[in-house]
Amino acid sequence: MQRRCMHPNRCIMFLKTFSCRVLGSFPRCGFIFPRNPLGARYAALGQCSERAYYNRPGCSGSGGAAHVRVVDLRSDTVTKPGPAMRQAMAEAEVGDDVMGEDPTVNELQKIAAEMFGMEASLFVPSGTMSNLIAVMVHCRERGDEMIVGDLSHLHIYEQGGSAQLAGVHATTVTTRPDGTFNLMQLEAKIRHGYPDPHYPRTRLICVENTHNIQGGRVLPLPFLQE
């Protein structure tokens, strides 16, 4: 979910290169679409992260045969721009983004919206920011409630920003190994008693795709449709 970008032109290069694929995340970028943005970091291949939630049974160290090359997929943020990317960033046309006059940002937002079939998108510095904005768009009153997976990035790694800054309460459902959760459990968590003064109002269900802690897994389309 977290995405940061040294310069949006780098993201445009990536999107143009892979425009024929269905993407769940952008390198070092955050996007807001009219629905909750989806995306995640990838777990390490052949090694454990220092983050405790990754250190689970079956997570082995980076040892092994000397000829094995470890590709670090823990996160898009561990990647570094190559010479061509640095040149593109240095030569990118820029302008005032607040006034909507940055052609590079405008092009990036247009490409992202078209790729995902959305009416618009918004480029922001990080995925944590994009998630917070999305929560606040859907939960407009302090004391509203969202339902999230107990291993979701939104719940684990964003310092409780939804509660701190938006005043949104979170209740959790159990995350399965493939990143999904039990829909019957989800339905049971929805509060139907509002405006009972004892309960918050259930406003939002958050789905993470691809799923960070569960190894960057892509959620099955039938699950999302259900």
Side-chain angles (χ1 to χ4, degrees), residues 30-109:
F31 285 91
I32 297 295
F33 296 106
R35 64 183 180 189
N36 189 41
L38 303 175
R41 297 180 176 180
Y42 296 92
L45 179 62
Q47 64 184 54
C48 290
S49 168
E50 294 178 357
R51 292 179 173 179
Y53 283 93
Y54 289 112
N55 297 334
R56 308 170 129 195
C59 184
S60 59
S62 58
H67 67 277
V68 174
R69 179 186 176 193
V70 176
V71 179
D72 190 348
L73 299 178
R74 288 173 299 162
S75 167
D76 54 6
T77 59
V78 303
T79 62
K80 297 179 181 180
M85 291 181 178
R86 291 185 182 277
Q87 181 178 354
M89 286 186 273
E91 298 176 356
E93 187 178 358
V94 297
D96 192 313
D97 181 47
V98 175
M99 302 295 180
E101 298 173 353
D102 189 312
T104 303
V105 170
N106 292 342
E107 183 183 1
L108 174 61
Q109 292 177 159

Side-chain angles (χ1 to χ4, degrees), residues 59-205:
C59 184
S60 59
S62 58
H67 67 277
V68 174
R69 179 186 176 193
V70 176
V71 179
D72 190 348
L73 299 178
R74 288 173 299 162
S75 167
D76 54 6
T77 59
V78 303
T79 62
K80 297 179 181 180
M85 291 181 178
R86 291 185 182 277
Q87 181 178 354
M89 286 186 273
E91 298 176 356
E93 187 178 358
V94 297
D96 192 313
D97 181 47
V98 175
M99 302 295 180
E101 298 173 353
D102 189 312
T104 303
V105 170
N106 292 342
E107 183 183 1
L108 174 61
Q109 292 177 159
K110 181 175 181 292
I111 292 173
E114 290 176 351
M115 182 177 292
F116 284 90
M118 298 294 177
E119 62 185 62
S121 70
L122 175 65
F123 173 72
V124 296
S126 75
T128 295
M129 179 186 289
S130 67
N131 288 340
L132 178 62
I133 293 172
V135 168
M136 295 179 75
V137 165
H138 291 286
C139 301
R140 301 191 177 191
E141 297 180 23
R142 297 184 68 84
D144 281 345
E145 180 180 69
M146 62 180 181
I147 302 176
V148 300
D150 60 351
L151 294 180
S152 67
H153 193 284
L154 190 65
H155 183 61
I156 301 295
Y157 291 133
E158 300 184 11
Q159 290 194 349
S162 296
Q164 287 192 61
L165 303 175
V168 176
H169 177 262
T171 191
T172 62
V173 289
T174 304
T175 304
R176 292 168 168 169
D178 64 354
T180 65
F181 38 76
N182 185 292
L183 295 179
M184 292 183 65
Q185 183 188 29
L186 169 68
E187 194 168 350
K189 295 278 186 171
I190 297 174
R191 301 179 193 258
H192 298 285
Y194 188 85
D196 187 307
H198 299 93
Y199 305 133
R201 174 165 41 183
T202 302
R203 281 283 202 182
L204 177 65
I205 298 168

